[in-house]
Amino acid sequence: MNDEALQLPAATLARRVGAGDRSSLATTDAAFARSQAVGAGPDGLNIFLGHDREWSRAEAEAIDARVVRGESVGPLAGVPVAVKDNLATVHLPTTCGS
């Protein structure tokens, strides 16, 4: 999976999502596809310990709906983010890699 949006600077991608030129959901799906492609198989990087695809997709759909309604979505809305596992998160386990 090679989605050109994943190569854009975060600010550019966020502007495109906020303007309605790029779907947050499409970007989220592309990011998951890319992480699966580089992490799978015996030569995969295996860089992600966990993810919440359902929650991420629901958040992306909410961002897209706000854009359609003309609401502000924030400066980085729609930009996929990976969080290092030594930072506590609300809805994912924090294992510090162990």
Side-chain angles (χ1 to χ4, degrees):
M1 176 93 210
N2 187 14
D3 189 308
E4 62 89 25
L6 299 180
Q7 304 300 316
L8 295 173
T12 302
L13 178 55
R15 277 194 302 274
R16 288 186 61 190
V17 169
D21 297 332
R22 173 71 188 191
S23 162
S24 179
L25 183 59
T27 304
T28 299
D29 287 342
F32 275 116
R34 177 72 177 140
S35 71
Q36 184 175 11
V38 300
D43 296 327
L45 299 176
N46 296 314
I47 55 177
F48 293 104
L49 296 175
H51 62 273
D52 189 338
R53 187 180 305 256
E54 285 183 35
W55 180 84
S56 299
R57 292 186 94 248
E59 289 294 308
E61 288 174 340
I63 289 168
D64 288 340
R66 288 174 58 196
V67 169
V68 167
R69 291 191 304 265
E71 298 175 10
S72 175
V73 292
L76 291 176
V79 177
V81 176
V83 178
K84 189 167 175 70
D85 189 38
N86 67 348
L87 300 174
T89 56
V90 174
H91 61 277
L92 292 173
T94 303
T95 66
C96 295
S98 58

